[in-house]
Amino acid sequence: MGKILSKQQIEHYHEQGFVAPVDVMSEDEALEYAQRLQAAELEYPAELNAENRNNAHLSFMFLDELVHHPLILDAVEDLIGPAFSLWGSVLFVKEPQSSHFVSWHQDATYMGITPHEFVTPWLALTPSNLETGCMSMIPGSHKDPLRPHEETFHEDNILTRGQQIEVIDESMAVDLVLRPGQMSLHHAKIIHGSQPNRSQQRRVGYAMQAYMPAGARQTLGENHWLPMRGDCVQPDFIELKRPTADMDSTGSGERRKANQNWANILYQGAEKKRAY
Ligand SMILES: O=C(O)CCC(=O)C(=O)O
């Protein structure tokens, strides 16, 4: 038994590459966070539109709260040990009846972080199911070497390069159905993706992407980190500061810096570049 996850859940993560569902908060609490997101979108539309959903925890207090949620951090500790920091976060929003999807991919491919032992908690703020376009995983695929990804730049693909793994046995896929307030945690190398949202409601997932164990390093860009637990300091580590109020100048500056670094990393060697 870990701090929060059972022995079976921890084994499942290491064997299958993911664990779900894990209860984090009540459904009502999660829906309140979804409402806070909508209020922030109305107040600061340019800061949270479809092209600007990376690292918003550096600018918004309710997201800073989520990336520091003790239960989420306890689960992360159960999987990667007591010392870790946060690389970044992504709001994955699919509007009602929209065509946006996430192709089969492995996070470790373009993130530039080694070793490939980082973990992403994905918290559902609204229902995530077959109709709204939940994530699906190929169990055990994190144990194989990274697969080649074709860069499609498909306009409905949410990923930066529309990168996708061509040949997948989809009959193996496991769908991660989550109620608001539940999370999944997935491994850096697991093959995963998601289908469009065919429902009448928004599908909002908050990916804390990702928590890095001590010793992990960025190899394609600058080492920007938000320390979380234990000692993760390294010589060229650039510690990001937390916001003290929504859109305060500290947080906004830190977010700009982190997003620019991300764009440099995620588009390295790409033929095209999107606005995010
Ligand atoms: O939200 C989705 O549908 C996909 C998210 C994803 O690929 C990730 O969190 O790594």
Side-chain angles (χ1 to χ4, degrees):
M1 176 81 194
K3 281 191 151 179
I4 196 83
L5 300 178
S6 68
K7 186 167 172 280
Q8 288 77 7
Q9 285 175 309
I10 296 171
E11 274 170 14
H12 192 278
Y13 175 83
H14 291 297
E15 282 307 306
Q16 308 293 320
F18 61 90
V19 56
V22 176
D23 292 347
V24 177
M25 60 183 70
S26 69
E27 183 156 347
D28 284 351
E29 220 183 320
L31 294 172
E32 242 171 67
Y33 276 104
Q35 279 166 6
R36 286 168 80 179
L37 172 63
Q38 271 188 305
E41 286 170 334
L42 282 176
E43 194 169 354
Y44 303 104
E47 298 301 326
L48 291 163
N49 62 32
E51 293 176 348
N52 197 8
R53 291 188 172 138
N54 294 341
N55 294 315
H57 63 286
L58 296 170
S59 289
F60 292 96
M61 298 306 288
F62 69 104
L63 297 175
D64 174 73
E65 243 166 68
L66 289 179
V67 303
H68 289 89
H69 194 293
L71 198 147
I72 297 177
L73 299 190
D74 282 348
V76 168
E77 182 168 336
D78 288 342
L79 299 178
I80 61 171
F84 55 90
S85 39
L86 177 67
W87 173 245
S89 73
V90 185
L91 279 158
F92 281 99
V93 178
K94 290 182 190 161
E95 300 299 343
Q97 303 214 299
S98 59
S99 48
H100 292 106
F101 67 98
V102 173
S103 49
W104 294 111
H105 70 286
Q106 291 163 298
D107 296 338
T109 317
Y110 295 101
M111 284 178 69
I113 289 162
T114 54
H116 297 152
E117 288 305 333
F118 45 90
V119 58
T120 298
W122 192 102
L123 177 67
L125 299 184
T126 60
S128 191
N129 53 41
L130 290 177
E131 207 194 353
T132 63
C134 63
M135 277 199 294
S136 307
M137 307 265 152
I138 305 293
S141 53
H142 65 304
K143 292 187 172 173
D144 297 332
L146 286 178
R147 300 267 296 269
H149 286 58
E150 191 205 349
E151 297 179 8
T152 68
F153 291 92
H154 190 295
E155 62 180 35
D156 288 335
N157 194 325
I158 298 176
L159 300 179
T160 44
R161 306 174 186 227
Q163 61 264 33
Q164 66 179 33
I165 299 171
E166 283 295 311
V167 184
I168 295 286
D169 180 358
E170 295 191 5
S171 70
M172 302 296 292
V174 173
D175 302 315
L176 304 189
V177 173
L178 303 173
R179 67 147 172 86
Q182 287 183 323
M183 68 172 166
S184 56
L185 296 113
H186 67 264
H187 188 279
K189 281 171 62 190
I190 188 85
I191 297 175
H192 61 292
S194 68
Q195 298 292 318
N197 179 2
R198 297 185 191 85
S199 79
Q200 303 287 354
Q201 60 182 327
R202 260 190 148 192
R203 195 224 62 170
V204 181
Y206 191 39
M208 298 156 215
Q209 193 146 50
Y211 292 94
M212 312 289 162
R217 293 196 55 76
Q218 173 56 248
T219 58
L220 300 178
E222 292 184 337
N223 268 292
H224 289 175
W225 307 91
L226 198 55
M228 287 286 155
R229 286 188 178 171
D231 181 8
C232 295
V233 179
Q234 297 186 47
D236 60 347
F237 181 115
I238 300 170
E239 183 173 329
L240 295 168
K241 295 183 195 71
R242 293 174 68 177
T244 52
D246 283 352
M247 290 301 299
D248 68 353
S249 57
T250 305
S252 304
E254 295 294 84
R255 187 179 180 206
R256 254 194 313 280
K257 196 165 76 180
N259 281 352
Q260 186 55 55
N261 192 36
W262 271 38
N264 295 343
I265 293 164
L266 293 174
Y267 286 107
Q268 211 158 107
E271 275 174 24
K272 291 188 208 164
K273 190 172 175 318
R274 285 175 164 172
Y276 55 95

